[in-house]
Amino acid sequence: MLKSMTGFGRYETVTDEYKISVEMKAVNHRYLDLSIKMPKKFNYFEASIRTLLKKHIQRGKVDLFINYEDYTEGNLSLKYNKGLAGEYMNAFQQMAEQFQIPNDITVSALSRFPEVLTMEQTPEDEEQLWKILSDAISRAAERFVETRLEEGEHLRDDLLKKLDYMLELVSFIEERSPRIVEEYRTKLTDKVKELLNGAAIDESRIVTEVTIYADKICTDEEMVRLRSHIETMKTKLIAGGSIGRELDFIAQEMNREANTTLSKANDLETADKAIALKTEIEKVREQIQNIE
């Protein structure tokens, strides 16, 4: 299926232990450009996050936002430094003996001295944390892809209509071409008759001039190639997939054929249709920029 490069996806889950929300949005870009904003505790997973996203996205400038709130209190623990507390007590005892004063240190007083009691962060279970994070990112990415697919269908339908109209223009130019030559022959013959004023006409000379003119304005090759490019693009649009770069190349070739046709046009109607072709091709190229 065809995917647009613009898209949006969001997923949020809340439990008694945590709340995590993931939001993704993307715009056009020649390549895959990932920008990730997340809490520092997830920095360790950045490479894994990029690998995971590449399974869903091939092109586009993608911004990923991750928010995480931890509701648990079990990730903090109180640490008692027994060795340091003993050193404090030994020092207090020495001071009491040296200065002949009572050693009145209590447990509550001792606990307030630096580093006797400290709060420490309990190490995270990385495997469990990645499971939570990857699940949220995957669900957001799935919704993100859904919006891309939906937009891609609209793009495909619009492009197919434009390509069908271009085929109509090509058919008109193909049908008009032999008539242009015949009209030129008639005009040339009438002009020669007028100039010769009843004298015999050299038919071979007329044929030669008409042949030179026909060769000069002939767009048969351009129309064959242009029709082939249009049909190829239609086939690829219907097949879908990540075809944005390929379609852009085909559109460039189509534009080249339209330019050549316009340069050869020595007829107002043909020139009008060639200009219409160039206009439609430009519209197609603009739309293709939105395809992954």
Side-chain angles (χ1 to χ4, degrees):
M1 299 179 71
L2 198 67
K3 294 180 184 176
S4 167
M5 274 199 287
T6 57
F8 178 82
R10 191 174 191 279
Y11 178 77
E12 180 178 283
T13 181
V14 181
T15 70
D16 293 337
E17 298 179 349
Y18 63 85
K19 172 184 177 182
I20 185 168
S21 61
V22 178
E23 186 174 295
M24 299 173 60
K25 61 180 181 180
V27 293
N28 303 350
H29 199 274
R30 290 187 63 188
Y31 309 104
L32 178 59
D33 181 12
L34 294 174
S35 175
I36 304 174
K37 296 182 180 180
M38 58 185 174
K40 290 183 179 180
K41 69 186 302 178
F42 290 147
N43 286 348
Y44 175 79
F45 301 118
E46 182 172 350
S48 298
I49 292 172
R50 292 180 179 274
T51 300
L52 177 60
L53 289 176
K54 287 177 182 178
K55 295 179 181 179
H56 299 274
I57 310 164
Q58 281 70 52
R59 291 178 66 200
K61 185 179 184 341
V62 182
D63 292 313
L64 176 68
F65 304 93
I66 302 173
N67 291 310
Y68 183 80
E69 297 178 30
D70 192 341
Y71 298 150
T72 64
E73 298 179 358
N75 58 347
L76 293 176
S77 62
L78 184 65
K79 181 180 178 181
Y80 164 49
N81 193 330
K82 182 179 179 181
L84 183 59
E87 291 183 20
Y88 275 124
M89 290 304 296
N90 290 335
F92 296 147
Q93 185 62 35
Q94 291 176 19
M95 291 169 64
E97 293 174 356
Q98 181 180 356
F99 297 108
Q100 298 296 311
I101 57 177
N103 185 351
D104 59 352
I105 293 298
T106 63
V107 172
S108 61
L110 179 63
S111 67
R112 288 194 289 270
F113 284 95
E115 305 300 325
V116 174
L117 295 178
T118 57
M119 297 294 291
E120 288 192 350
Q121 188 86 20
T122 303
E124 296 277 4
D125 183 346
E126 291 183 355
E127 184 176 344
Q128 178 63 21
L129 195 58
W130 172 243
K131 182 180 179 181
I132 294 169
L133 178 60
S134 61
D135 179 68
I137 293 174
S138 295
R139 291 177 182 270
E142 289 169 1
R143 297 179 181 180
F144 171 81
V145 170
E146 286 176 4
T147 63
R148 280 188 150 195
L149 287 171
E150 183 178 348
E151 178 64 22
E153 290 183 7
H154 296 313
L155 284 173
R156 180 196 61 202
D157 294 342
D158 182 63
L159 285 170
L160 288 174
K161 290 178 181 178
K162 285 179 168 57
L163 292 172
D164 285 338
Y165 175 56
M166 288 168 60
L167 285 175
E168 293 177 10
L169 295 174
V170 169
S171 296
F172 178 89
I173 294 173
E174 289 173 333
E175 294 171 4
R176 176 65 182 156
S177 182
R179 293 206 301 269
I180 296 173
V181 176
E182 189 59 37
E183 289 172 4
Y184 176 75
R185 182 188 182 106
T186 301
K187 289 180 181 178
L188 181 61
T189 301
D190 292 343
K191 188 68 176 178
V192 170
K193 285 181 178 180
E194 180 183 342
L195 292 173
L196 293 178
N197 194 22
I201 299 176
D202 185 353
E203 287 293 338
S204 63
R205 183 60 180 170
I206 294 290
V207 171
T208 300
E209 290 296 329
V210 171
T211 301
I212 293 173
Y213 178 78
D215 184 64
K216 181 180 178 181
I217 68 167
C218 180
T219 58
D220 291 352
E221 292 184 9
E222 287 77 15
M223 291 300 99
V224 169
R225 287 193 291 265
L226 187 52
R227 183 180 290 277
S228 175
H229 292 325
I230 293 172
E231 294 292 353
T232 299
M233 185 175 287
K234 288 180 67 175
T235 300
K236 292 186 177 298
L237 282 169
I238 293 171
S242 298
I243 56 174
R245 289 195 187 96
E246 192 173 359
L247 294 184
D248 187 52
F249 174 76
I250 295 174
Q252 291 179 43
E253 295 300 309
M254 291 164 60
N255 192 55
R256 184 176 291 110
E257 303 301 337
N259 282 334
T260 304
T261 300
L262 183 60
S263 68
K264 289 183 176 182
N266 198 22
D267 171 74
L268 183 59
E269 292 184 63
T270 301
D272 286 343
K273 299 304 181 184
I275 291 172
L277 270 173
K278 284 178 57 64
T279 301
E280 288 304 304
I281 291 170
E282 187 59 33
K283 292 178 182 178
V284 167
R285 290 189 68 181
E286 289 178 3
Q287 291 287 58
I288 287 173
Q289 304 307 313
N290 296 319
I291 297 176
E292 185 179 60

